[in-house]
Amino acid sequence: MGRDMKKLYTMAFLLAMSSTSVFAGGHGAHEGHGNKMSAASGGSGVHFYGRIYLGYDRIKESGTDGGSVAGLRDNGQKSRLGIKFSENLGGLTLLGNAEYKFDLGDGDATSDSKTCSATLSDCRTFNLMIGNLGLMTPLGYVGMGTFESPYKTMGMFDTNMDTALAMNEHGGTSKGAFGQAGNWEGSLSYHAKMGPLELAYMRGMSDKANSNVGKGDYSFGISLTDIIGGLQIGFVRAHDKVTTTATGGESNDKVFASYQVMPGLGVFYTEEDMDIEDSNVFNNGNVGTTASSVLDGGGDIDTIGIHYTMGNNMIQFTHTNAESRVAADMDYQTIAISNQMRLSKATDITFGISRQGFDGSGSGSGQNDKHKRTVAIGIIHSF
């Protein structure tokens, strides 16, 4: 009964927010493959937006019991519901944003790895993804709160982000708060664009134990767009000030580039040099985070991909080569292909396959021996 009530509560809340959005000015236009959420706006500067994702996926990992695992749900809180507002303060503009993630499949904002108790005391319907308040100044944006870090947002070319086929779920990119996933809580953020130049800086400001980044952690990025027709290049870093294996701190660095070869065809490349634990699969449960070895989490992830648009279809193909500095059998390659079909201005359907193959035997009990294959289809509706 408790789970059913949570589902009903989720749907009722969505209906209420949708009704409010229509009252505020109607549904906005679909904003393209890079941004899956549109916004409804009114004269007050308040914008409601969101997306609903639900998909079927079948995941097979070698070296595990039970064979393939299938699911028809939203694993990982991939649906979103948010509100933005702006207020003119004369020479400055006040900007606010609160965005929550939720799971339409079972009403619990958790991944499959978490089992909710009978009383649901350790689960919730919504989890905060973004929540911040700041000022837009003539020199750029300055704000405080919870943000997606520059390491995640800059050089993020994956059109399947926040779906079962996401590259960070299969080793195509880094993962976690210090990688290409998650968010930074209790942080100060600066962002500016000046012609082709984009700058971003974020710094953790909280000493509280429940913050996912600490005081002194930082991330910064720089990007140049259209320096030559259709070419983008950039660099971004995430730094963990103090870790259990390196008191001087560790960093993840990413170099990225993209180029529009011709109308409808683009190529992209990311090269990540990584040292921070839990932001990749190189520690993989085989090197403990309390070990003295600073190699835990060390390695390189290099990915090249293409985007090809044909009519209402957008094909993404990627190939990843990853080399671990922890152990040779943690090296792997990932190949993924997907097709995103636009059904309307607000609705897409995506299907594809991804395979991550480690250099291990594929039959051992160690996690580094697993080969992971995912076949999935999902639908996204933005509002």
Side-chain angles (χ1 to χ4, degrees):
M1 178 63 71
R3 186 176 296 274
D4 293 337
M5 289 301 295
K6 288 180 75 69
K7 290 182 180 180
L8 290 173
Y9 172 73
T10 302
M11 295 307 299
F13 190 82
L14 285 172
L15 288 172
M17 293 299 287
S18 298
S19 300
T20 306
S21 298
V22 173
F23 181 79
H27 294 286
H30 191 66
E31 295 185 2
H33 295 295
N35 185 348
K36 291 299 180 184
M37 293 176 287
S38 54
S41 61
S44 64
V46 177
H47 306 261
F48 296 97
Y49 66 94
R51 60 173 244 167
I52 296 176
Y53 169 84
L54 193 63
Y56 172 85
D57 57 77
R58 192 172 184 87
I59 301 173
K60 167 63 178 176
E61 288 185 287
S62 61
T64 60
D65 296 328
S68 300
V69 177
L72 181 63
R73 75 282 189 261
D74 172 4
N75 175 35
Q77 311 161 76
K78 297 175 177 63
S79 297
R80 300 285 190 269
L81 191 62
I83 181 173
K84 295 181 180 181
F85 74 85
S86 62
E87 183 180 3
N88 191 336
L89 302 178
L92 305 174
T93 302
L94 179 67
L95 300 176
N97 187 193
E99 179 180 313
Y100 287 83
K101 52 186 178 180
F102 62 97
D103 189 331
L104 191 67
D106 59 11
D108 297 324
T110 62
S111 64
D112 283 351
S113 60
K114 184 172 184 179
T115 301
C116 296
S117 66
T119 61
L120 301 181
S121 59
D122 58 348
C123 297
R124 63 190 71 182
T125 304
F126 297 95
N127 275 331
L128 182 70
M129 181 64 184
I130 298 171
N132 50 67
L133 197 61
L135 293 171
M136 180 61 73
T137 76
L139 298 177
Y141 169 85
V142 179
M144 295 179 291
T146 299
F147 301 85
E148 294 179 302
S149 77
Y151 196 96
K152 177 180 179 181
T153 58
M154 300 182 76
M156 203 284 287
F157 304 112
D158 186 12
T159 60
N160 295 320
M161 190 69 175
D162 293 320
T163 73
L165 292 168
M167 291 170 61
N168 60 8
E169 296 283 345
H170 302 84
T173 67
S174 54
K175 61 179 183 177
F178 289 93
Q180 193 168 296
N183 55 19
W184 278 38
E185 302 168 353
S187 298
L188 176 69
S189 176
Y190 172 77
H191 182 263
K193 278 188 175 183
M194 296 162 282
L197 176 65
E198 180 179 1
L199 300 171
Y201 179 80
M202 194 168 295
R203 190 174 186 88
M205 302 296 290
S206 178
D207 282 326
K208 294 184 177 181
N210 60 350
S211 178
N212 65 349
V213 295
K215 185 176 181 179
D217 295 342
Y218 66 84
S219 178
F220 70 86
I222 180 171
S223 174
L224 290 169
T225 304
D226 288 333
I227 50 175
I228 300 176
L231 175 65
Q232 177 195 26
I233 59 173
F235 172 83
V236 63
R237 166 174 287 184
H239 183 78
D240 189 358
K241 182 179 180 181
V242 178
T243 69
T244 55
T245 59
T247 56
E250 295 175 331
S251 297
N252 292 337
D253 294 334
K254 176 169 64 174
V255 176
F256 59 90
S258 66
Y259 181 65
Q260 189 73 27
V261 179
M262 63 178 68
L265 177 62
V267 297
F268 60 91
Y269 174 76
T270 60
E271 179 180 305
E272 297 187 77
D273 182 359
M274 314 198 71
D275 285 310
I276 301 177
E277 299 90 331
D278 300 323
S279 59
N280 51 60
V281 296
F282 294 136
N283 61 336
N284 224 359
N286 293 280
V287 180
T289 56
T290 59
S292 59
S293 173
V294 296
L295 294 177
D296 186 9
D300 302 317
I301 302 177
D302 302 333
T303 295
I304 187 169
I306 64 170
H307 290 143
Y308 178 64
T309 302
M310 181 175 56
N312 291 332
N313 297 277
M314 200 286 294
I315 298 171
Q316 175 176 285
F317 174 80
T318 62
H319 178 270
T320 300
N321 185 67
E323 296 184 358
S324 170
R325 292 191 287 271
V326 182
D329 60 358
M330 293 183 190
D331 297 348
Y332 64 85
Q333 292 187 341
T334 297
I335 297 178
I337 186 169
S338 64
N339 182 64
Q340 186 179 86
M341 182 185 302
R342 177 167 292 187
L343 303 181
S344 70
K345 289 184 178 181
T347 305
D348 294 333
I349 186 169
T350 300
F351 52 89
I353 182 171
S354 180
R355 185 184 187 277
Q356 178 184 15
F358 285 87
D359 286 352
S361 65
S363 59
S365 58
Q367 293 186 29
N368 55 307
D369 291 330
K370 291 181 182 177
H371 304 327
K372 181 178 181 180
R373 184 185 69 234
T374 299
V375 179
I377 182 171
I379 188 167
I380 297 173
H381 176 73
S382 304
F383 57 91

